[in-house]
Each structure stands twice: as C-alpha cells, then as structure tokens.
Amino acid sequence: MKKLKQSLFLIGLMTTLTVSAQEYKVVTIIESIVPMGAGRSRIIETQGTPDVNALTTTREGNKSKQDLIEREDLKEIGENMKETKLLNFYSLVGINFGNIASNDAIIAAKINEVVKQGWSVAFITSGVESDSGTNDGKGIFITRMFFVKK
C-alpha cells in the first residue's frame, strides 16, 4: 500500500511538472481618428510564422549588424495577412458613434472567431496617437490582442 501511495504521488508530481508548449497569436486593430473619415481602419492578422532568428543579430559594443538584414525580408512577412475592414471614428461632421458601435460588433465577432479556433485571450493592450491640433489632422487608435493556445 505504501508503494502504491508513493507511485501515485510521483505520477501526480510528474503530471504537475509537465510543461506544455504555448503558441501565441497577435491580432492588431487600427482605427483611424482622422477627421472627415479620410483615414483607414482595419483588423490585421498575419499568416504564417517568420524565422525570428534570421532577423536577429548580436550587437558588439556600438557596432550593430542590423544593416545586414534587408527591409524586403521584413516586408515579405506582412504581405501574407488577413485584413478586415472597419469604419473610421470620424465622419464628415465629427465622431460617429454608429461607426464605433459597428466596429465593436466586428471586433467582437473577430474575437469569437479566434476563440472558436482554440485560442484564448491572454491580454489586450492599446495606445493612441491623436490629433494634436489644427494643422495635424492625423491620428490612430491601435489595439493589440494577444491570444494563446496550449
């Protein structure tokens, strides 16, 4: 009986210590806050997995080898993506709350779609670069949703 308890304890400990690999997915939402609806708003989801080691160099003091990595290699990664159209925050007369409500529904549908594929929301972060005055006329609201799958 004692050996059985010890065996069960070891099996339980091994099961607890088993590390499961996790995979992450990032979905980015860009919502334009350019006046008069002139901006572009999208949900962006990249496809495939880049070789991050091929894009990484080692810095030695002040000497960087980043110039050995071609911009075209980085741009190729972004060419293969899913793009979902959203509405802009602003219309001709100002903030358009109907557009915001439509975007909320589309974003919720996207989250539900990704969750149905077996992903879980790990965390969400956002930031804004807003219109800084009469001569700016530019701005975006960016949200990154990080999903995890075991």
Side-chain angles (χ1 to χ4, degrees):
M1 185 68 162
K2 187 175 180 180
K3 287 191 178 203
L4 178 62
K5 286 182 183 180
Q6 287 175 341
S7 297
L8 290 174
F9 175 77
L10 285 175
I11 290 171
L13 182 63
M14 289 171 38
T15 304
T16 304
L17 295 177
T18 302
V19 178
S20 61
Q22 293 182 335
E23 184 179 359
Y24 291 90
K25 172 191 224 39
V26 180
V27 175
T28 300
I29 303 166
I30 305 287
E31 293 176 280
S32 173
I33 51 178
V34 176
M36 297 178 52
R40 296 182 302 160
S41 299
R42 302 282 190 274
I43 299 174
I44 305 297
E45 181 182 355
T46 59
Q47 304 297 295
T49 305
D51 180 3
V52 73
N53 291 319
L55 306 172
T56 304
T57 61
T58 302
R59 180 180 284 269
E60 297 170 10
N62 290 336
K63 297 181 182 178
S64 174
K65 296 180 183 178
Q66 280 290 296
D67 58 340
L68 300 175
I69 298 173
E70 299 294 327
R71 286 179 51 85
E72 290 77 28
D73 295 339
L74 298 170
K75 289 184 173 245
E76 285 177 8
I77 297 166
E79 290 176 358
N80 191 13
M81 67 177 161
K82 287 184 179 178
E83 189 176 19
T84 304
K85 189 170 186 168
L86 295 173
L87 299 168
N88 297 327
F89 279 170
Y90 282 108
S91 64
L92 187 60
V93 294
I95 295 175
N96 188 318
F97 296 106
N99 287 1
I100 294 170
S102 294
N103 286 359
D104 288 351
I106 295 166
I107 292 166
K110 182 63 175 181
I111 292 170
N112 289 333
E113 174 189 291
V114 173
V115 168
K116 284 179 187 173
Q117 295 169 1
W119 297 91
S120 298
V121 175
F123 59 95
I124 298 173
T125 185
S126 63
V128 65
E129 190 286 310
S130 63
D131 188 342
S132 64
T134 56
N135 294 327
D136 185 358
K138 298 177 184 170
I140 61 167
F141 190 81
I142 183 170
T143 304
R144 285 214 163 101
M145 301 183 298
F146 296 81
F147 295 90
V148 64
K149 185 190 282 189
K150 293 184 181 189

